[in-house]
Amino acid sequence: MEKYNIVFNEDTPKYLQIANHIKKLIYIKKVAEGEKLPSIRELSRMLGVNTVTIVNAYNRLEHEGVAIRKIGSGTYAKEKEENRNLLKEYSNIYKKINGGTLKDYIDFTGETTCSEFFPVENFKEALNKVLDRDGAEAFTYQDSLGYDGLRKSINNHFWGGKLDSENILIVSGAQQGIDIAAKAIINVNDNVLVEKPTYSGALNVFKSRRANILEVDMLQDGVDVNMLKKLLKKNKVKCFYVMSYFQNPTGSTYSIEKKKEILNLAEEYDFYIIEDDYLSELIYDENIEYKSFKSLDIYDRVIYIKSFSKIFLPGIRIGYLVPPIKFSEAMQNSKVNTDITTSSLMQRALDLYINEGYWRKHIKLLNEAYKSRYLVMEKFIKSILETKVDFYSPRGGLNFYLRISDKIAMDSIELFNKCKKYKVIITPGVLFYKNSMDGDRYFRLGFSVANIPEIEKGIQIINKLLQ
């Protein structure tokens, strides 16, 4: 019975707190499927609440499909079937969309730029110039570090020549960068810190390394540093995975002060920071200053990862990684063991694309186009969804992260399934947590693929479903 104890807060109705607590117990297997829940009188006495509160909590659990009431017998736990199958369902839907039925859906799941903004003509021109210039050599294997010209261009154009080009490793996108970093520094049972919530692809990498994953709550200006300090005092941590700008999924951006504080903690507690510099090109608020963890790192504690795929051409699969000097050789070996080298032709074309000024023009175009979509989605969320959701504006990036109001008896999985029937696809928050039930009230809306009329129509449908 002790597991049912709960410390109430004043902000949320007690019946909702009780329902959410029991739901989490069911998900993490502390209450087994089919196990009888305490009787209404028994639980009301134990928690010091009236029986109506417990009745409302059990009704909520039954409505959400995680409990079943048997007349004359009591209420029993029941794990939601869609909870177990959500990842598979989400994956299947996404395959269908990518398989050619995109026009049938309003897609709020996109994490990369829309195909209408792909710089096809300019990139085709760059490819032709590379082929004319380099001929068959453009198709040969490069140094395992990557094409020397591209590494120098990255250093000069994005870092002002402050890095050592020999310490820049070209990778096939951010996901491979995270995988390479993890293989180089994380061993079985190492403690790895992640933001809560965080990118599911990173969680999968750390789980595959059989690391112990510790979560730190996200706030609007980065993680909760007090919580981070408590975890560091109790645990020997190997590394901390962070997304410094417009974090996926919350949209949070770290303040420069918080970055400096975390870097100091990394030195004090001897851990490394894996920085996934996600969508930092798309800043819509001039008050946000761009300074990565890596640019502020005086201790050589940051493994910096940047993908070009999200904001350029997803199909070219190019990014880069800058490790601390201590891990340079281990990261290079990890890359070679993964796939030897990234496409030589694409590296050369991207190098020329950057050097001829196309990159700068492309980013300017994206900022203008996506800022207008961002402002439209923000306006519609505020005016249409109003009291049905809670959120804060990220001021950049490609997503909004919303929490369903406690007044609405629906979780993000149910909303996902209902939206799907109306040809609207959202990303349920359960995908971004180590324990997915922590995200059952959250969902992410992206505006990178949907146009302005679709954004309004999709939000109107979500509003109707949340009534």
Side-chain angles (χ1 to χ4, degrees), residues 177-434:
I178 297 165
D179 188 57
I180 286 168
K183 286 176 179 174
I185 69 171
I186 298 172
N187 297 311
V188 175
N189 291 328
D190 279 344
N191 292 321
V192 174
L193 283 167
V194 300
E195 300 156 333
K196 181 183 180 182
T198 192
Y199 169 51
S200 58
L203 279 176
N204 292 335
V205 168
F206 302 139
K207 286 175 183 176
S208 73
R209 299 299 297 165
R210 292 165 64 192
N212 301 316
I213 299 172
L214 309 174
E215 296 176 305
V216 191
D217 290 340
M218 281 298 290
L219 306 176
Q220 287 190 39
D221 63 344
V223 291
D224 182 337
V225 172
N226 289 329
M227 185 178 180
L228 174 62
K229 288 176 181 176
K230 288 176 184 175
L231 285 168
L232 291 171
K233 285 174 184 175
K234 291 180 181 177
N235 304 276
K236 173 61 181 168
V237 168
K238 178 63 72 74
C239 64
F240 181 19
Y241 171 72
V242 303
M243 304 181 82
S244 43
Y245 284 84
F246 314 120
Q247 191 255 8
N248 184 14
T250 65
S252 297
T253 291
Y254 281 78
S255 66
I256 291 174
E257 294 73 27
K258 194 164 275 192
K259 286 175 185 165
K260 290 177 179 176
E261 189 172 5
I262 292 170
L263 285 163
N264 288 335
L265 289 171
E267 179 69 6
E268 181 182 350
Y269 288 96
D270 189 24
F271 66 89
Y272 289 85
I273 296 168
I274 300 176
E275 178 181 16
D276 186 349
D277 188 358
Y278 177 74
L279 298 180
S280 60
E281 292 83 0
L282 301 179
I283 296 174
Y284 312 134
D285 185 335
E286 60 187 19
N287 294 313
I288 297 179
E289 181 182 2
Y290 176 72
K291 279 192 177 178
S292 62
F293 276 92
K294 188 69 178 177
S295 69
L296 298 167
D297 181 17
I298 60 174
Y299 307 113
D300 206 22
R301 288 275 167 188
V302 177
I303 301 157
Y304 177 88
I305 298 168
K306 181 69 187 176
S307 172
F308 293 110
S309 307
K310 298 287 186 192
I311 52 170
F312 187 48
L313 292 165
I316 71 166
R317 304 303 304 154
I318 293 179
Y320 69 96
L321 183 153
V322 186
I325 297 300
K326 177 180 178 180
F327 294 119
S328 288
E329 187 175 348
M331 299 277 177
Q332 290 169 27
N333 291 338
S334 180
K335 163 67 174 172
V336 171
N337 292 335
T338 303
D339 70 355
I340 304 177
T341 188
T342 301
S343 168
S344 171
L345 175 61
M346 291 303 175
Q347 288 187 64
R348 290 166 184 257
L350 180 58
D351 170 47
L352 193 142
Y353 187 89
I354 292 169
N355 280 315
E356 300 222 336
Y358 291 135
W359 177 266
R360 195 177 295 276
K361 290 177 185 174
H362 175 62
I363 295 304
K364 187 172 183 290
L365 168 69
L366 286 186
N367 269 276
E368 290 170 357
Y370 279 121
K371 183 174 182 178
S372 64
R373 292 193 190 192
Y374 164 83
L375 292 172
V376 164
M377 181 170 269
E378 180 186 49
K379 180 183 79 173
F380 288 146
I381 291 171
K382 285 179 177 177
S383 62
I384 297 172
L385 296 181
E386 296 182 292
T387 59
K388 297 183 181 70
V389 299
D390 301 308
F391 80 107
Y392 59 84
S393 299
R395 302 183 294 158
L398 295 173
N399 301 295
F400 285 83
Y401 197 54
L402 294 80
R403 186 182 187 279
I404 301 169
S405 168
D406 287 326
K407 292 178 284 189
I408 294 171
M410 186 184 301
D411 60 26
S412 65
I413 299 169
E414 187 177 352
L415 180 61
F416 166 76
N417 285 316
K418 287 186 174 183
C419 283
K420 184 183 64 178
K421 291 175 183 175
Y422 285 85
K423 300 293 185 182
V424 174
I425 307 175
I426 63 170
T427 305
V430 295
L431 299 176
F432 302 106
Y433 295 80
K434 185 175 74 168

Side-chain angles (χ1 to χ4, degrees), residues 46-261:
M46 183 178 134
L47 297 179
V49 299
N50 62 46
T51 55
V52 174
T53 301
I54 305 301
V55 169
N56 288 337
Y58 281 4
N59 285 343
R60 175 69 174 246
L61 291 170
E62 190 172 19
H63 174 80
E64 293 188 4
V66 292
I68 185 167
R69 190 171 0 201
K70 296 180 182 179
I71 304 297
S73 176
T75 303
Y76 294 81
K78 172 173 160 283
E79 188 178 352
K80 289 177 80 169
E81 186 64 30
E82 60 263 41
N83 226 13
R84 287 197 289 256
N85 296 327
L86 179 66
L87 266 174
K88 184 179 178 183
E89 174 73 13
Y90 186 76
S91 175
N92 287 340
I93 287 291
Y94 215 72
K95 282 176 188 170
K96 276 186 189 176
I97 288 176
N98 290 334
T101 58
L102 182 60
K103 64 183 183 300
D104 298 332
Y105 290 87
I106 295 173
D107 182 8
F108 286 144
T109 67
E111 292 182 65
T112 58
T113 52
C114 182
S115 58
E116 71 180 274
F117 300 123
F118 289 175
V120 176
E121 290 304 314
N122 288 338
F123 195 67
K124 183 166 73 174
E125 186 180 331
L127 278 170
N128 288 333
K129 285 183 178 179
V130 166
L131 291 170
D132 290 341
R133 184 190 71 192
D134 300 343
E137 191 183 338
F139 297 95
T140 60
Y141 282 130
Q142 298 299 316
D143 185 313
S144 60
L145 290 174
Y147 176 53
D148 182 61
L150 178 58
R151 287 186 283 124
K152 286 177 179 173
S153 293
I154 287 168
N155 188 17
N156 293 331
H157 287 269
F158 303 134
W159 294 89
K162 293 175 184 175
L163 300 179
D164 177 2
S165 298
E166 292 298 309
N167 197 40
I168 296 174
L169 179 64
I170 303 300
V171 295
S172 301
Q175 183 68 35
Q176 188 187 64
I178 297 165
D179 188 57
I180 286 168
K183 286 176 179 174
I185 69 171
I186 298 172
N187 297 311
V188 175
N189 291 328
D190 279 344
N191 292 321
V192 174
L193 283 167
V194 300
E195 300 156 333
K196 181 183 180 182
T198 192
Y199 169 51
S200 58
L203 279 176
N204 292 335
V205 168
F206 302 139
K207 286 175 183 176
S208 73
R209 299 299 297 165
R210 292 165 64 192
N212 301 316
I213 299 172
L214 309 174
E215 296 176 305
V216 191
D217 290 340
M218 281 298 290
L219 306 176
Q220 287 190 39
D221 63 344
V223 291
D224 182 337
V225 172
N226 289 329
M227 185 178 180
L228 174 62
K229 288 176 181 176
K230 288 176 184 175
L231 285 168
L232 291 171
K233 285 174 184 175
K234 291 180 181 177
N235 304 276
K236 173 61 181 168
V237 168
K238 178 63 72 74
C239 64
F240 181 19
Y241 171 72
V242 303
M243 304 181 82
S244 43
Y245 284 84
F246 314 120
Q247 191 255 8
N248 184 14
T250 65
S252 297
T253 291
Y254 281 78
S255 66
I256 291 174
E257 294 73 27
K258 194 164 275 192
K259 286 175 185 165
K260 290 177 179 176
E261 189 172 5

